[in-house]
Amino acid sequence: MEKRQDRTTGISVKDSPWRLPLAPVLLLAFSLLLFSSHQAFAIQLITHPGTEKTEISRSTARAIFSMRRLVWPDGAAIRVFVFPDKHKLHKAFAKQLLGVFPHQLRRAWDRKVFSGTGQAPDTVQSEAEMLEMIIRTPGAIGYISEDNRDESVQILQVE
């Protein structure tokens, strides 16, 4: 490797075969940032207004939505509502909030159903239907995009 003097700073630097021009690297990083933020949704967990819980841990949310946790701390039954597997909000919810892929949730639900040890969550087709079902069903939990805030449901903070 050969030493040379940087023209702008006057500092002696070593040439490296791995040295990349800065502009293309920054352009690539910026593009990846834009692409990944474009795919993100602001999602919030919602529950029936009568639910006592106001915050929930990520691991508890994962247990509830994988149908392993069936009751709230006060003993009330949990009723889970989700969107279809291919719904963009469901995909974002599973990845961002639960930290799992949608097919992993489906596999957990199918295992419970086919083994006779549990059931799959109820499926809704729209955010309006999700809100309606959460409001009408005591112990219900679901999720919506933050754009569809509704004062008639309780929002759960995820720790």
Side-chain angles (χ1 to χ4, degrees), residues 2 46 141 148:
E2 194 174 88
I46 57 172
I141 186 171
N148 286 326

Side-chain angles (χ1 to χ4, degrees), residues 125-142:
Q125 300 302 316
S126 69
E127 289 189 67
E129 185 182 359
M130 175 72 79
L131 286 166
E132 180 184 333
M133 295 308 292
I134 298 294
I135 292 167
R136 286 191 342 193
T137 312
I141 186 171

Side-chain angles (χ1 to χ4, degrees), residues 59-123:
S59 62
T60 301
R62 198 176 299 123
I64 290 171
F65 281 92
S66 63
M67 306 303 284
R68 290 188 322 252
R69 183 161 188 180
L70 305 174
V71 294
W72 292 106
D74 66 359
I78 298 174
R79 182 101 179 258
V80 179
F81 291 92
V82 297
F83 291 105
D85 293 350
K86 301 284 183 191
H87 196 282
K88 63 183 178 183
L89 195 57
H90 179 71
K91 291 178 184 180
F93 165 74
K95 290 178 187 175
Q96 292 174 19
L97 206 93
L98 301 181
V100 298
F101 289 103
H103 71 271
Q104 291 173 303
L105 279 177
R106 172 57 55 195
R107 195 174 330 142
W109 301 334
D110 289 348
R111 194 175 315 123
K112 292 220 175 264
V113 170
F114 296 137
S115 69
T117 60
Q119 62 185 29
D122 296 303
T123 304

Side-chain angles (χ1 to χ4, degrees), residues 5-94:
Q5 192 170 12
D6 186 62
R7 287 182 284 196
T8 56
T9 62
I11 298 173
S12 179
V13 293
K14 291 182 180 178
D15 280 335
S16 168
W18 300 106
R19 189 167 181 206
L20 295 174
L22 187 58
V25 172
L26 288 177
L27 182 61
L28 176 64
F30 184 71
S31 299
L32 289 173
L33 180 65
L34 278 179
F35 177 72
S36 64
S37 66
H38 177 70
Q39 299 298 321
F41 286 93
I43 299 170
Q44 57 189 5
L45 277 181
I46 57 172
T47 62
H48 182 270
T51 305
E52 293 180 11
K53 277 293 234 186
T54 57
E55 40 182 57
I56 191 170
S57 70
R58 187 177 303 270
S59 62
T60 301
R62 198 176 299 123
I64 290 171
F65 281 92
S66 63
M67 306 303 284
R68 290 188 322 252
R69 183 161 188 180
L70 305 174
V71 294
W72 292 106
D74 66 359
I78 298 174
R79 182 101 179 258
V80 179
F81 291 92
V82 297
F83 291 105
D85 293 350
K86 301 284 183 191
H87 196 282
K88 63 183 178 183
L89 195 57
H90 179 71
K91 291 178 184 180
F93 165 74

